[in-house]
Amino acid sequence: MRRRSDTLRSVNEDVPCANGALIAKERELMERAVGVDVVRAALTRVPAEVRQSYEGLTALTKIPTEHVETVYFAIAKEAGRDAFQLHREVVRAAVEDALKTMWRLLLRFTSDDAIIRRTPLFFARGLSRGELSARMTGRGTAEIRLTGWPGVSLMQLNGISAAIEAVLLCAGRRRVQVDAQRTLDGGRFEARWEP
């Protein structure tokens, strides 16, 4: 059986990873959403390597996105919830929580264009793979492109969509909707809102 330190050491640059601090915050919010007992029960049903990397999270570690997804699917099944809806709910709450400070106030006085141009900065802190670029396409619409991550999972596209929604909602935009689709090199997101 592999030890947690062996698992973390075996994660290399080619494996897409999530920031440990971000996933630890998501775990805290997920425990609030479905209950600590549900999360614990679900973790007993995932492979040992996945459980060890998830339970051993710190602010300084990275965890393979595949492990995070496995845990989300297990928790959703245990809770009787749709995995993608649960994921979107938790990611949005985590981003909103991160923006509770002065950022939230500043975002309210920032133009749509400035918010969209800064979207890639939020992404860069959370995931090790891919790069976002963003541009306004009209009043209350923007296109965000993910490149450098061919074969990105639908769960990751779901999480990025949720994060974009949360930033726009925290900036005071209403009726925010972000749709995603895979592309050859990653994904394309279309964001719409009422200014």
Side-chain angles (χ1 to χ4, degrees), residues 111-131:
S111 71
D112 289 353
D113 184 59
I115 291 167
I116 292 302
R117 280 187 285 117
R118 285 175 178 79
T119 300
L121 298 175
F122 293 105
F123 173 82
R125 295 175 186 213
L127 295 165
S128 69
R129 174 71 59 88
E131 185 175 314

Side-chain angles (χ1 to χ4, degrees), residues 8 16-20 23 50 53-54 57 61-65 67-68:
L8 294 176
C17 290
N19 175 294
I23 302 305
V50 171
S53 67
Y54 191 79
L57 284 173
T61 59
K62 293 190 180 293
I63 179 171
T65 57
H67 289 190
V68 176

Side-chain angles (χ1 to χ4, degrees), residues 76-129:
K77 183 176 182 180
E78 188 72 27
R81 300 269 314 266
D82 177 84
F84 288 93
Q85 287 177 347
L86 178 63
H87 182 237
R88 204 166 187 123
E89 175 186 318
V90 169
V91 169
R92 274 178 58 173
V95 172
E96 288 173 5
D97 192 64
L99 295 175
K100 273 184 181 173
T101 61
M102 196 154 170
W103 274 101
R104 192 173 201 140
L105 182 62
L106 290 173
L107 284 173
R108 291 198 179 266
F109 297 103
T110 304
S111 71
D112 289 353
D113 184 59
I115 291 167
I116 292 302
R117 280 187 285 117
R118 285 175 178 79
T119 300
L121 298 175
F122 293 105
F123 173 82
R125 295 175 186 213
L127 295 165
S128 69
R129 174 71 59 88

